[in-house]
Amino acid sequence: MAWIESHQSLLRHRKTLRAATLLGVSRHTLIGHLHALWWWALDSATPDGALRGMTDAEIAEAAEWPDAEHPFAPALAEAGFLDGPASARVL
């Protein structure tokens, strides 16, 4: 069974505060979607965490993000949770 490490500092981390603000959701909601994305990535991302070839919509779907009005992947990128250009995002 695979697992991820999740630190208590995530709740108040600057990236969390920024992404939650950009997305218009609570930090608790954002953390739930981040964990959904990270759990999905355990089975589906490349070993180095790359999401190459995935569209922003597919990344949002992997995170079970329901709100097309607030784009999930660009907000994560702006906050620093995702690196790289849209065509080659890395967790």
Side-chain angles (χ1 to χ4, degrees):
M1 174 190 303
W3 60 278
I4 61 169
E5 190 170 329
S6 182
H7 296 261
Q8 76 274 6
S9 62
L10 182 62
L11 182 63
R12 291 181 180 81
H13 194 280
R14 63 178 180 78
K15 292 179 184 181
T16 305
L17 298 173
R18 177 80 173 155
T21 298
L22 290 169
L23 293 168
V25 297
S26 73
R27 292 171 289 140
H28 302 93
T29 296
L30 173 67
I31 289 169
H33 289 287
L34 283 172
H35 278 82
L37 177 62
W38 296 337
W39 295 329
W40 170 88
L42 286 171
D43 295 324
S44 303
T46 64
D48 64 352
L51 304 175
R52 286 181 202 89
M54 290 191 68
T55 66
D56 287 350
E58 291 167 334
I59 292 170
E61 178 65 26
E64 299 188 21
W65 181 251
D67 188 355
E69 186 176 331
H70 294 92
F72 186 72
L76 292 190
E78 186 174 332
F81 280 114
L82 294 176
D83 293 325
S87 62
R89 298 219 194 264
V90 178
L91 291 169

